[in-house]
Amino acid sequence: MSEFNWTPEELEELVKGSKLVLFMKGTPEMPQCGFSNRAAQVLKALNEPFVAVNVLMDPRAIPNVCEWADFPTMPQVYVNAELIGGSDIALEMYESGELQEMLAE
């Protein structure tokens, strides 16, 4: 992703290109904040492949992603190209089964 410029078009393409996308601080293997860790654990529990984007790899990432999504914080979880929210919402949706239902659609 070294050529990634964090433009709205690139973000749109990335999110539409995968069923599950997680913009997070760090990686699923080495999260750099508790909220990102929680979101990654929720997605891992789904046993579905997901794309994780480390927003700490480029100083433009967080402001550009937050502006594009109109969502002020990280992490951000996308299901079927739709922003569902951060780690708390992802966990609630997982526990209620709503997240699994979205994936099954």
Side-chain angles (χ1 to χ4, degrees):
M1 211 185 274
S2 59
E3 298 287 327
F4 201 75
N5 291 308
W6 307 98
T7 65
E9 296 80 18
E10 288 174 318
L11 292 167
E12 188 84 21
E13 185 178 322
L14 176 66
V15 167
K16 286 184 174 179
S18 297
K19 201 169 195 175
L20 282 171
V21 178
L22 171 61
F23 289 97
M24 67 180 293
K25 293 179 179 177
T27 66
E29 299 76 26
M30 291 195 63
Q32 299 297 305
C33 84
F35 296 111
S36 288
N37 182 43
R38 182 184 306 148
Q41 294 305 316
V42 167
L43 295 189
K44 284 180 183 179
L46 293 169
N47 290 317
E48 294 275 344
F50 67 95
V51 173
V53 179
N54 180 359
V55 296
L56 298 178
M57 65 186 222
D58 186 325
R60 299 171 296 174
I62 293 174
N64 286 12
V65 172
C66 289
E67 181 181 329
W68 170 75
D70 195 24
F71 192 77
T73 60
M74 290 292 154
Q76 293 182 15
V77 179
Y78 290 80
V79 179
N80 298 326
E82 177 185 339
L83 173 64
I84 62 164
S87 61
D88 292 343
I89 294 168
L91 181 59
E92 287 171 19
M93 290 178 72
Y94 174 77
E95 289 175 342
S96 74
E98 189 178 352
L99 193 53
Q100 296 86 325
E101 287 174 21
M102 283 182 79
L103 284 171
E105 291 175 1

